[in-house]
Amino acid sequence: MAPKAQYVTFGRKAPGKPILELLGDKNRLSGRYTSAMTADEPTVVTQRHTKARANGEGPSDDETRGQWGRAWEVDWFSLSGVLLLLCFAPFIVFSFIMACDQYQCSLTEPLLDLYAGRATLLSIWSRAPSFTWAAAKIYAIWVSFQVVLYMCIPDVTHKFLPGYVGGVQDGARTPAGLINKYQINGLQSWLITHALWFANAHHFHWFSPTIIFDNWIPLLWCTNILGYAVSTFAFIKAYIFPTNAEDCKFTGNFFYNYMMGIEFNPRIGKWFDFKLFFNGRPGIVAWTLINLSYAAKQQELYGEVTNSMVLVNVLQGIYVLDFFWNEAWYLKTIDICHDHFGWYLGWGDCVWLPFLYTLQGLYLVYHPVQLSTINALGVLLLGLVGYYVFRMTNHQKDLFRRTNGECAIWGRKPAYIECTYSSADGQTHRSKLMISGFWGVSRHLNYTGDLMGSLAYCMACGAGHLLPYFYIVYMTILLVHRCIRDEHRCQSKYGKDWKRYTDAVPYRLLPGIF
């Protein structure tokens, strides 16, 4: 009898994955889905035929190695997207930050100045604060501290927090058939970091709580230095001393390899995993600290913290805490199970995430907004309902998966469509696609909840400027594209059974609309 399947679930867009989804998906799955499932598939896999050994040794037969991961070959469209992002993503970050620094967060005024000849790109660049050694010292201490927390302090929070999964956990199977182990201690790192932050603010006074905002643009240069350095190091490492040569993919195109990554799980030593650390430590732990620094600056400048700033801190804090509470679950998401480590993760997690995901708080420093009570309650309700929809949708999927459908969803046994598919070895397998609960309302309702929360962050800033609404525009493009990409995979996997599923659940995100 074949061993039971290794269950792998994908769901929410991870905060540490800022750019990849815009490129499209060119991976060659070759029909092998038992270990790398689509990003939002409410599926129970009932069997697999190969089993990697937990000690890191995988099967030697090429036929048993997974075929997922990024592309082996590069077409002109993918290469064009890579080159555009390499050229313009750093400029996009710079333009948003400079708009706040020099134009009070207006996106149109710099364009009008450029058009009228009142400014040039060079003059805007020259007025920007430059790299400082003080910022470099701050950032070096920050990253080093997170490395120490990640590497040197084993997780103990899972021993006294009911329901939390921490400590050493197995990751998903890699394309070469390996199962890596991870030290899950992100929640503990977040708690220690923030406890020290508040202890400093209220007792020790080692540094000002506004230190991040006060050095924000010099820190932009520091994060770019680290982002490019770690991306380049990972690129060179893949050629000279890869962690596992069988988990490398070379396309022959320098730019694609550099951006999309070559190594699947580059590591230094046994435990320092580049993906998990850069996806889940310097940027995401800093996210809530950045917002707290914005709030402190608002207090310093105006003598109060507005309710809109409180809402941004609270709602985005829930998002971050959810990520760390479910860090073990994150090991089975598309970031870890599908992506290679290249510039889009290395630079994206160091620069794109902390600077563009926190635009709402930055905007509120320059334009403090005090919402009416009814508007503030409306924004809070939208954010909390969005989080509830997102979390409960994923919870229902995980419950259905863990119990093989033998559970209660909304008080009754869940309905599902039983599907068949073929793996690369030609054998037939069965899966179940749930059509009950939130998964019967739409096929990606967890994304809908995510978008509701994203909209709430933006609405907390009022309607005075476009800049704080970048996040909801970006997230909508990201998740709609991800829906289409995921469903293309499912169609290829399930064929006519996927048509039965889409007939039963006809809408992707918004019931009755889309």
Side-chain angles (χ1 to χ4, degrees):
M1 180 180 296
K4 291 184 179 179
Q6 174 186 358
Y7 298 129
V8 181
T9 59
F10 295 151
R12 181 185 197 173
K13 182 274 312 172
K17 186 183 181 185
I19 299 174
L20 169 67
E21 304 291 349
L22 300 180
L23 290 174
D25 180 35
K26 295 293 181 181
N27 58 310
R28 307 296 189 261
L29 289 172
S30 302
R32 186 181 298 276
Y33 288 86
T34 49
S35 295
M37 301 216 276
T38 56
D40 193 26
E41 184 183 333
T43 306
V44 174
V45 183
T46 56
Q47 91 181 62
R48 70 167 185 252
H49 295 281
T50 62
K51 182 176 181 181
R53 293 184 287 276
N55 61 7
E57 297 178 2
S60 58
D61 184 355
D62 288 343
E63 182 63 26
T64 65
R65 295 183 187 128
Q67 302 298 316
W68 59 95
R70 63 113 172 114
W72 285 101
E73 301 173 356
V74 185
D75 58 31
W76 67 267
F77 180 79
S78 295
L79 181 59
S80 299
V82 164
L83 293 174
L84 286 173
L85 285 171
L86 284 172
C87 293
F88 290 105
F91 176 76
I92 290 171
V93 177
F94 178 83
S95 63
F96 275 98
I97 303 306
M98 288 307 105
C100 284
D101 181 64
Q102 299 179 24
Y103 292 93
Q104 289 294 301
C105 296
S106 171
L107 294 178
T108 56
E109 284 188 25
L111 296 177
L112 293 174
D113 277 2
L114 290 170
Y115 178 77
R118 294 188 295 269
T120 65
L121 291 176
L122 185 60
S123 68
I124 294 175
W125 177 275
S126 64
R127 293 198 301 267
S130 60
F131 170 89
T132 67
W133 287 107
K137 179 181 178 181
I138 292 168
Y139 194 60
I141 293 173
W142 167 252
V143 175
S144 299
F145 181 58
Q146 292 306 311
V147 170
V148 169
L149 292 179
Y150 176 67
M151 292 291 294
C152 303
I153 305 181
D155 183 75
V156 297
T157 53
H158 69 281
K159 296 181 179 180
F160 57 83
L161 286 179
Y164 172 68
V165 178
V168 177
Q169 299 292 326
D170 287 343
R173 188 183 307 277
T174 74
L178 309 181
I179 296 178
N180 292 311
K181 291 187 178 294
Y182 295 83
Q183 176 67 254
I184 299 300
N185 60 4
L187 179 63
Q188 178 174 273
S189 299
W190 187 92
L191 291 171
I192 292 173
T193 301
H194 285 70
L196 290 174
W197 174 274
F198 283 106
N200 169 76
H202 296 285
H203 180 67
F204 296 112
H205 307 295
W206 292 322
F207 53 84
S208 169
T210 65
I211 189 173
I212 299 176
F213 178 87
D214 294 339
N215 293 274
W216 195 225
I217 298 176
L219 284 170
L220 175 59
W221 306 125
C222 298
T223 57
N224 269 281
I225 290 171
L226 179 62
Y228 278 97
V230 73
S231 302
T232 303
F233 176 79
F235 180 78
I236 296 172
K237 177 182 179 299
Y239 285 93
I240 301 176
F241 54 102
T243 302
N244 186 348
E246 293 179 340
D247 272 330
C248 293
K249 282 190 175 181
F250 299 89
T251 64
N253 185 283
F254 173 87
F255 296 104
Y256 192 89
N257 286 344
Y258 182 75
M259 179 171 177
M260 303 302 289
I262 297 171
E263 279 203 78
F264 197 73
N265 287 110
R267 290 189 166 203
I268 298 295
K270 182 179 179 180
W271 293 107
F272 189 84
D273 185 90
F274 279 58
K275 264 193 203 176
L276 185 61
F277 179 77
F278 284 100
N279 273 357
R281 293 300 190 276
I284 300 183
V285 174
W287 188 342
T288 40
L289 290 185
I290 293 167
N291 283 338
L292 288 171
S293 186
Y294 291 155
K297 193 64 180 182
Q298 200 181 67
Q299 176 70 41
E300 178 186 285
L301 292 175
Y302 310 109
E304 65 173 354
V305 177
T306 63
N307 57 8
S308 56
M309 181 68 83
V310 173
L311 283 169
V312 168
N313 272 263
V314 169
L315 293 176
Q316 293 189 350
I318 292 172
Y319 184 104
V320 171
L321 278 173
D322 180 89
F323 172 80
F324 285 121
W325 184 269
N326 295 285
E327 189 177 16
W329 164 83
Y330 177 65
L331 297 180
K332 307 298 174 66
T333 64
I334 196 169
D335 291 22
I336 301 296
C337 299
H338 175 78
D339 299 340
H340 292 242
F341 187 87
W343 179 87
Y344 77 88
L345 278 181
W347 180 88
D349 290 322
C350 289
V351 182
W352 184 273
L353 187 155
F355 281 88
L356 293 190
Y357 285 21
T358 61
L359 282 177
Q360 290 77 33
L362 180 65
Y363 170 84
L364 291 172
V365 174
Y366 291 91
H367 296 277
V369 174
Q370 185 69 27
L371 299 171
S372 67
T373 301
I374 188 66
N375 286 342
L377 289 175
V379 169
L380 178 63
L381 182 63
L382 176 64
L384 294 179
V385 170
Y387 174 73
Y388 175 81
V389 170
F390 154 75
R391 174 44 51 209
M392 291 307 298
T393 303
N394 281 330
H395 170 73
Q396 288 180 357
K397 176 181 65 177
D398 290 341
L399 179 63
F400 180 75
R401 170 182 57 82
R402 291 195 311 269
T403 63
N404 197 26
E406 298 299 323
C407 59
I409 301 293
W410 288 356
R412 63 183 65 181
K413 187 174 181 179
Y416 57 85
I417 291 176
E418 191 162 353
C419 306
T420 60
Y421 65 95
S422 298
S423 58
D425 56 11
Q427 299 196 43
T428 300
H429 308 266
R430 295 183 180 276
S431 295
K432 298 174 182 177
L433 300 180
M434 181 169 58
I435 56 174
S436 289
F438 285 117
W439 294 96
V441 177
S442 73
R443 302 196 291 269
H444 305 272
L445 203 67
N446 52 343
Y447 291 174
T448 306
D450 213 352
L451 289 173
M452 292 170 66
S454 302
L455 180 61
Y457 310 157
C458 302
M459 292 181 65
C461 298
H465 283 77
L466 295 174
L467 181 139
Y469 285 84
F470 165 80
Y471 190 73
I472 184 60
V473 174
Y474 167 72
M475 284 291 293
T476 299
I477 296 171
L478 188 85
L479 294 181
V480 168
H481 178 270
R482 188 164 182 166
C483 286
I484 296 170
R485 187 192 69 167
D486 291 345
E487 295 193 5
H488 176 73
R489 288 182 178 180
C490 289
Q491 174 63 42
S492 299
K493 175 180 178 180
Y494 294 117
K496 62 181 182 181
D497 289 334
W498 181 251
K499 178 64 166 57
R500 293 168 52 214
Y501 173 70
T502 56
D503 287 343
V505 186
Y507 296 101
R508 288 188 172 107
L509 287 172
L510 297 174
I513 300 176
F514 175 73

